[in-house]
Amino acid sequence: MQVRDAMSSEVLVVGPEHTLRQAARMMSARGVGSAVVIDPDSEGVGIMTERDVLKAIGAGLDCDVERTGAHLTWDVVYAGPEWTVAEAAAAMARGGFRHLVVLDGREVAGVISVRDIMRVWAESQAATVPT
């Protein structure tokens, strides 16, 4: 199975000037653990994860003042939609993270998470169980 078959193509996008609280509220409302951050003044795509928000709050920072641009990961590992799900899982395991931004060329095509990988794995296992 390829990443394009497992990824979420509806991606939450926030800007670097959103506060951490705004990003957290949007992630919570959408039921996702990450948001893609696109800065119109720079090249590339960053990612803000629930872990980034927790680190900032744990450090005692004010989530109504702190901006996503100061707390996200710009050094993102990207997946291609043609990658296998196993390749995506291996990249996550190597990097110690739970989300990969999926780029098709230079465009964000989606995000694949550990949850997506677990879902397709469970579905494939259920399909092999005799009834």
Side-chain angles (χ1 to χ4, degrees):
M1 176 173 284
Q2 292 183 310
V3 164
R4 73 171 38 91
D5 303 317
M7 71 183 189
S8 300
S9 57
E10 291 187 31
V11 177
L12 174 60
V13 177
V14 300
E17 292 302 315
H18 280 93
T19 65
L20 292 181
R21 183 176 308 279
Q22 289 171 321
R25 280 186 178 148
M26 288 185 273
M27 290 179 354
S28 177
R30 295 271 298 271
V32 296
S34 67
V36 169
V37 181
I38 298 177
D39 183 349
D41 296 328
S42 83
E43 291 187 33
V45 174
I47 190 167
M48 164 68 58
T49 68
E50 59 215 348
R51 189 179 296 172
D52 296 321
V53 175
L54 284 173
K55 283 180 186 177
I57 292 171
L61 300 176
D62 186 343
C63 60
D64 289 315
V65 174
E66 294 295 319
R67 305 293 175 188
T68 60
H71 297 280
L72 57 87
T73 302
W74 283 111
D75 186 21
V76 177
V77 175
Y78 303 105
E82 72 287 347
W83 282 23
T84 66
V85 171
E87 288 173 313
M92 288 179 192
R94 274 192 312 274
F97 40 81
R98 298 174 293 183
H99 303 86
L100 286 173
V101 176
V102 181
L103 291 183
D104 192 358
R106 298 189 72 163
E107 298 295 318
V108 174
V111 173
I112 187 165
S113 68
V114 169
R115 184 181 314 154
D116 297 321
I117 292 171
M118 288 175 30
R119 176 182 44 79
V120 297
W121 178 83
E123 289 168 359
S124 72
Q125 294 303 302
T128 62
V129 175
T131 55

